Amino acid sequence: MKKELPERFRNHRHVWVVVELERGEVHPVSWELLGEGRKLADRLGVELAGVVMGPPTEATRRAAGEAFCYGADLVYLAEHPVLAQYRTEAYARALTDICESYKPEILLLGATTLGRDLAGAVATTLLTGLTADCTELAVDQDGSLAATRPTFGGSLLCTIYTLNFRPQMATVRPRVFALPPRVEKPVGRIVLHTVQFAEEDIVTKVLDFVPDALTAKSQLAYADVVVAGGMGLQQQENFQLVKQLAATLGAEYGGSRPLVQKGWIPADRQIGQTGKTIRPRVYIAAGISGAIQHRVGVEGADLIVAINTDPNAPIYDFAHVGIVADAVQILPALTRAFTRRLSFNRLVG
Amino acid sequence: MHLVVCIKQVPDSAQIRVHPVTNTIMRQGVPTIINPYDLFALEQALRLRDEFGGKVTVMTMGPPMASDSLRRALGAGADAAVLLTDRFFAGSDTLATSFALSQAIRKIGESEPVDMVFCGKQTIDGDTAQVGPGIATRLGLQQLTYVAKVCEVDRQTRTITVERRAEGGVQVLRTTLPCLITMLEGTAPLRRGSLADMLRAARAEITTWSAKDAGIQDVTNCGLRGSPTVVKRVFAPQARAEKAAQIAVAGRSPDEIAEEVLGLILDRSPGLEDELHRRSAVA
Ligand SMILES: Cc1cc2nc3c(=O)[nH]c(=O)nc-3n(C[C@H](O)[C@H](O)[C@H](O)COP(=O)(O)OP(=O)(O)OC[C@H]3O[C@@H](n4cnc5c(N)ncnc54)[C@H](O)[C@@H]3O)c2cc1C
Ligand SMILES: Cc1cc2nc3c(=O)[nH]c(=O)nc-3n(C[C@H](O)[C@H](O)[C@H](O)COP(=O)(O)OP(=O)(O)OC[C@H]3O[C@@H](n4cnc5c(N)ncnc54)[C@H](O)[C@@H]3O)c2cc1C
């Protein structure tokens, strides 16, 4: 049974995903959301649309084309020089206008600095509900969006509804959902939206953009192997052992929150609820107890290997492989083992 | 310059426990603190006041005991404090919260126009980062979120330049006042107030406003009734069925253990070995 809505919301239909485009690049969270949005749209028997906003360039058109390859049935496209770089006012006005013209039922955005900034502004203008940082999205019997998110640092989950308002909005962190397979497809239906304002109307100006140095910037969220350390390493020097194993594996390294607080690792290498969510094929956690706030950031890993001296450490409740031993000894042994294996293969291969 | 800082009193989440049977949060006896991110916002506002003169007003919406947080902010040097408290505010989601706060800021601005509103990046309990954008949108203020640094304020042209954390880099933005800023963590920590500030804070009168005092005519925009989101279910995360498979360690050397773990990792991750091999060949 479909839920009865107030008259003014009855013609809100379809599932939309905002495709986050910055400096010509799409944030992968947008494709992850299209993958999840596809399931919701199929369940509701409606269409899945991507919303692409950007300057009139090749890259913007390419982003629209890619949206089809990741599952969109159609794309709403707003192209204008005023959208060349992200600014709240320009993007919020464009997105609000598109929503008011074409009335989505569900509107999803990545919980990135861009997505959270934009979603908060747009939900307020549309006077609708917005659920932050969801880890699960589902459609209920009556067709409502059930958005589940961790509360109190992950110790509990809650399911939030936006019952009587439309669109139902939600943000989702990168890597919470898996990247759907990309299927080569021709460009489908594009609905062009004309931007109704000009540069003079936008007060805030972007003076500069300073990209993070590529070497310093951690690629944690999208790494396929991650090695991390925790307080069990005892001393800062021992963190080298984590870095050495990571280097041998061509992996990214990270750590638990106390290591950031102690200044052993930079903040963008924190893994967990208030750090990065990761989804690697292999996650090696050395000297990490497995507190709930850490757990929620790593549960998407295919294989979790934990090294912890305490056989009752909570990390063994969700790791797949456990080694009850001193991480300070096991880490270098793993580095040696992988070095041997890889150089051996090079000799034969 | 008149700067309003929004602070939220939150439970010290490091000490929160969940009742094992009822799955409810056990708040009793849990100490409350000022949301840690808001301390950076307060410090930034105090610095601007010290530089340009003017006034810092701190404001919170919450139960009467939230006045503790305001008093602490006064002790750090804030000039005035407003507590927004009314049963009509109970159960507010972010839309209803930004409504109440923006109405109160409007009211505060009636006696002395507001140049900037400061918020934290997000809270540690609700953790949505939605209230700042909500207030900015409702008041038509320029919105600057995730600000890592306030570079320059020009009083003549009424412009402000900031560095904003964006995906993959830092945006340098210039906008005009009035504006709303949400401050990132890791900027300057909150100062300790002077003895004079502490003494003043202890005796200070905290302005307490009901919805009506804040100029809110229609309370249907507040609290549960003004909240489009509804929390339907609260539950514990499901435990994984089986525990980790433990590698035998007794009497074995780290290298023997590592050999077995390596085998396990490669067995369970098809294709990984080729990938590692490819990478090490490139490196
Ligand atoms: C609001 C909030 C948000 C948070 N967000 C995060 C977050 O995003 N990410 C995060 O990680 N944490 C977060 N935390 C902190 C979290 O609650 C834990 O305190 C933290 O994860 C613990 O870090 P740890 O496992 O490194 O240290 P500990 O809990 O101290 O664990 C150390 C572990 O090492 C083991 N050990 C000791 N010696 C050795 C040895 N020689 N070899 C091997 N093992 C050894 C011990 O048995 C122990 O299990 C948050 C907390 C709060 C309140
Ligand atoms: C576990 C949990 C989950 C929730 N999930 C959602 C959700 O998904 N969607 C939703 O709409 N609501 C949600 N809420 C309700 C929401 O937390 C409240 O509306 C709350 O009043 C403000 O939101 P926040 O804590 O997320 O603040 P944020 O938006 O994270 O706060 C940003 C800044 O706004 C200022 N601020 C926030 N609240 C106040 C205040 N009361 N007084 C003064 N300044 C303030 C502070 O400067 C703060 O740093 C949730 C609440 C809880 C407890």
Side-chain angles (χ1 to χ4, degrees):
Chain A
M1 258 295 276
K2 187 126 169 91
K3 186 183 150 52
E4 276 294 303
L5 280 172
E7 186 62 41
R8 65 198 159 113
F9 295 124
R10 292 223 178 115
N11 48 3
H12 278 252
R13 290 193 60 194
H14 309 304
V15 178
W16 291 14
V17 170
V18 171
V19 175
E20 182 172 329
L21 184 65
E22 262 201 306
R23 292 174 312 288
E25 299 240 3
V26 174
H27 195 297
V29 70
S30 312
W31 307 146
E32 293 156 20
L33 283 175
L34 278 176
E36 196 65 18
R38 184 72 263 166
K39 296 180 203 159
L40 301 176
D42 290 346
R43 179 86 213 278
L44 287 163
V46 299
E47 290 187 314
L48 174 67
V51 182
V52 177
M53 296 174 280
T57 57
E58 187 73 17
T60 305
R61 285 285 164 146
R62 202 175 329 117
E66 282 295 294
F68 296 103
C69 301
Y70 286 104
D73 298 309
L74 75 158
V75 164
Y76 294 100
L77 179 61
E79 290 177 308
H80 197 284
V82 76
L83 301 172
Q85 275 168 306
Y86 179 73
R87 283 170 296 172
T88 315
E89 196 180 1
Y91 272 67
R93 273 173 80 168
L95 183 57
T96 308
D97 287 348
I98 302 174
C99 286
E100 283 174 343
S101 307
Y102 302 102
K103 307 187 189 307
E105 183 171 6
I106 292 175
L107 176 60
L108 308 176
L109 298 94
T112 57
T113 53
L114 187 158
R116 281 179 157 207
D117 183 277
L118 179 59
V122 170
T124 309
T125 307
L126 297 175
L127 295 174
T128 192
L130 170 59
T131 307
D133 275 359
C134 302
T135 52
E136 207 182 311
L137 299 173
V139 170
D140 224 346
Q141 281 100 347
D142 68 359
S144 305
L145 176 70
T148 299
R149 62 173 306 217
T151 81
F152 294 101
S155 37
L156 287 176
L157 296 167
C158 65
T159 303
I160 297 182
Y161 285 72
T162 295
L163 285 179
N164 295 313
F165 297 86
R166 291 295 180 270
Q168 306 163 85
M169 291 180 62
T171 61
V172 179
R173 288 219 280 175
R175 300 307 267 159
V176 164
F177 295 129
L179 190 68
R182 180 183 180 282
V183 183
E184 197 65 53
K185 270 205 207 122
V187 171
R189 185 153 56 96
I190 292 189
V191 179
L192 280 176
H193 174 80
T194 315
V195 171
Q196 304 284 2
F197 48 89
E199 185 57 42
E200 308 84 80
D201 302 320
I202 306 302
V203 177
T204 301
K205 305 295 173 196
V206 183
L207 303 187
D208 199 2
F209 185 91
V210 188
D212 297 326
L214 268 180
T215 42
K217 191 177 130 198
S218 86
Q219 303 290 336
L220 260 183
Y222 287 91
D224 65 356
V225 180
V226 174
V227 186
M231 288 308 291
L233 293 175
Q234 323 274 358
Q235 297 165 33
Q236 180 163 17
E237 299 85 81
N238 290 337
F239 196 81
Q240 284 306 324
L241 306 174
V242 169
K243 283 192 181 173
Q244 281 156 5
L245 179 56
T248 304
L249 294 171
E252 285 286 342
Y253 70 88
S256 62
R257 186 166 85 158
L259 270 52
V260 174
Q261 287 165 333
K262 283 184 168 284
W264 295 9
I265 57 171
D268 70 338
R269 295 209 176 256
Q270 179 185 321
I271 299 169
Q273 165 89 11
T274 45
K276 294 269 169 25
T277 300
I278 60 172
R279 221 186 160 80
R281 298 173 66 193
V282 181
Y283 176 51
I284 302 174
I288 294 179
S289 58
I292 187 74
Q293 295 89 354
H294 188 80
R295 176 176 178 166
V296 293
V298 305
E299 271 180 320
D302 293 335
L303 179 67
I304 301 175
V305 179
I307 312 166
N308 193 308
T309 42
D310 175 6
N312 296 316
I315 195 151
Y316 292 131
D317 295 341
F318 59 95
H320 304 91
V321 175
I323 308 155
V324 180
D326 184 356
V328 178
Q329 293 189 9
I330 300 294
L331 283 170
L334 278 170
T335 304
R336 285 193 294 272
F338 274 103
T339 309
R340 269 197 306 274
R341 178 71 162 237
L342 293 173
S343 51
F344 171 73
N345 270 359
R346 197 166 347 182
L347 289 179
V348 250
Chain B
M1 199 169 284
H2 190 191
L3 310 148
V4 173
V5 184
C6 298
I7 62 176
K8 186 181 183 189
Q9 180 160 310
V10 296
D12 186 351
S13 64
Q15 305 197 33
I16 280 205
R17 295 287 170 273
V18 174
H19 193 282
V21 180
T22 58
N23 267 341
T24 49
I25 302 292
M26 302 195 285
R27 286 169 187 269
Q28 298 93 318
V30 176
T32 54
I33 52 174
I34 298 180
N35 177 42
Y37 296 112
D38 301 350
L39 303 179
F40 299 109
L42 178 55
E43 176 61 28
Q44 181 60 61
L46 291 171
R47 286 181 176 208
L48 289 173
R49 178 206 60 189
D50 294 348
E51 191 179 342
F52 296 104
K55 175 176 171 184
V56 170
T57 302
V58 285
M59 175 172 68
T60 192
M61 178 182 92
M65 67 160 197
S67 61
D68 296 350
S69 295
L70 294 174
R71 215 170 279 285
R72 215 193 124 206
L74 290 170
D79 302 283
V82 177
L83 170 67
L84 210 52
T85 188
D86 197 313
R87 67 191 167 82
F88 290 119
F89 297 140
S92 295
D93 72 356
T94 55
L95 195 74
T97 300
S98 71
F99 173 75
L101 292 175
S102 60
Q103 288 290 316
I105 293 168
R106 231 180 229 133
K107 188 82 188 172
I108 290 172
E110 279 175 13
S111 45
E112 207 170 327
V114 176
D115 299 290
M116 287 188 223
V117 177
F118 281 90
C119 286
K121 173 182 89 163
Q122 64 195 57
T123 64
I124 59 167
D125 59 347
D127 183 26
T128 64
Q130 287 168 193
V131 170
I135 296 172
T137 304
R138 288 178 182 278
L139 294 176
L141 304 174
Q142 289 303 311
Q143 171 177 327
L144 304 168
T145 55
Y146 303 101
V147 169
K149 188 176 168 195
V150 174
C151 310
E152 195 194 341
V153 177
D154 186 329
R155 292 189 74 180
Q156 257 65 54
T157 53
R158 286 186 57 78
T159 54
I160 179 169
T161 310
V162 303
E163 288 180 9
R164 168 178 189 268
R165 162 76 10 218
E167 299 299 312
V170 172
Q171 276 185 320
V172 183
L173 297 173
R174 173 167 300 160
T175 197
T176 56
L177 305 183
C179 68
L180 177 137
I181 289 180
T182 80
M183 283 303 284
L184 214 57
E185 70 275 27
T187 51
L190 181 63
R191 64 190 64 183
R192 289 178 64 102
S194 65
L195 189 61
D197 285 328
M198 306 273 205
L199 291 172
R200 188 175 52 86
R203 286 189 304 257
E205 176 104 14
I206 288 178
T207 308
T208 304
W209 282 352
S210 65
K212 197 153 155 259
D213 297 331
I216 296 171
Q217 311 292 338
D218 186 359
V219 290
T220 59
N221 289 321
C222 298
L224 266 184
R225 276 202 287 172
S227 297
T229 63
V230 180
V231 179
K232 270 225 178 162
R233 204 159 74 91
V234 180
F235 56 102
Q238 215 167 19
R240 232 168 54 88
E242 77 265 41
K243 287 205 154 206
Q246 294 291 355
I247 305 277
V249 290
R252 299 173 80 195
S253 74
D255 286 298
E256 286 172 277
I257 298 169
E259 243 353 289
E260 182 180 347
V261 174
L262 174 147
L264 253 167
I265 291 177
L266 295 181
D267 271 0
R268 295 234 206 148
S269 317
L272 182 67
E273 183 164 12
D274 291 344
E275 176 62 29
L276 293 181
H277 185 211
R278 200 179 52 72
R279 265 189 234 161
S280 73
V282 176

